[in-house]
Amino acid sequence: MTAEAPTAPVVSYGRLIPVTVHFDDLDALGLLHNARYPLLVERAWTELWSAYGVRFDGDWHAAGDACNAVRELRISYEAPVTSPGTYAVHLWLDRLGTTGLTYGFRFCSADGTLTYAQGARVLVRLDAATLRPAPWSDAFRAAGRELLGPAG
């Protein structure tokens, strides 16, 4: 008898990206510090887009779709994270516009069943020379359509 590798949790839309909470991410009360949630979401988002070839390698002019800025961040905290360990971030797109997008997220248990925090973030694609809004590439838009959630 051979042991089978555990299967990754499945979500009906978007992607579930594993993240790790370390002991030093906790505050003096032993809770995940509120400022760590957006940081862990950002790391998950970066990992997801890197899989599509969208990454920043130090040159904003060559960064293409990775040259973007946050316009808005909303987050609500639903339940406290009280220990280090493996969790997940569920990511999806709510809206994919010409120069901007809105993505939703849930910071959740590793299997995606328990939500600790949820929110949305608005990004704007920028032209590296002018820092003005610029259109997403066709390749980015194609990848983005795969991530559209039920509202998208």
Side-chain angles (χ1 to χ4, degrees):
M1 184 160 143
T2 60
E4 292 185 29
T7 58
V10 176
V11 290
S12 61
Y13 58 92
R15 299 286 189 284
L16 201 60
I17 308 295
V19 295
T20 301
V21 171
H22 298 276
F23 176 77
D24 60 355
D25 292 322
L26 306 179
D27 65 15
L29 296 175
L31 306 175
L32 180 58
H33 192 281
N34 68 76
R36 291 303 211 183
Y37 290 85
L39 175 68
L40 291 165
V41 169
E42 175 69 19
R43 288 178 180 163
W45 186 247
T46 299
E47 181 178 328
L48 183 147
W49 282 111
S50 289
Y52 286 101
V54 178
R55 64 180 61 81
F56 175 68
D57 292 324
D59 179 356
W60 285 115
H61 293 280
D65 295 307
C67 185
N68 58 65
V70 176
R71 178 179 166 93
E72 181 180 343
L73 172 66
R74 296 181 312 275
I75 187 169
S76 63
Y77 303 95
E78 309 298 329
V81 171
T82 59
S83 63
T86 302
Y87 296 85
V89 176
H90 180 196
L91 296 168
W92 66 91
L93 290 183
D94 284 326
R95 183 188 67 80
L96 178 58
T98 303
T99 62
L101 62 80
T102 302
Y103 75 80
F105 65 86
R106 290 185 314 119
F107 188 91
C108 53
S109 56
D111 64 2
T113 59
L114 177 61
T115 299
Y116 296 99
Q118 59 188 333
R121 191 164 130 174
V122 177
L123 294 179
V124 177
R125 163 74 161 87
L126 298 176
D127 176 279
T130 65
L131 297 182
R132 300 291 308 150
W136 301 109
S137 70
D138 291 340
F140 184 91
R141 296 182 60 71
R145 282 191 290 276
E146 294 177 17
L147 299 170
L148 285 171

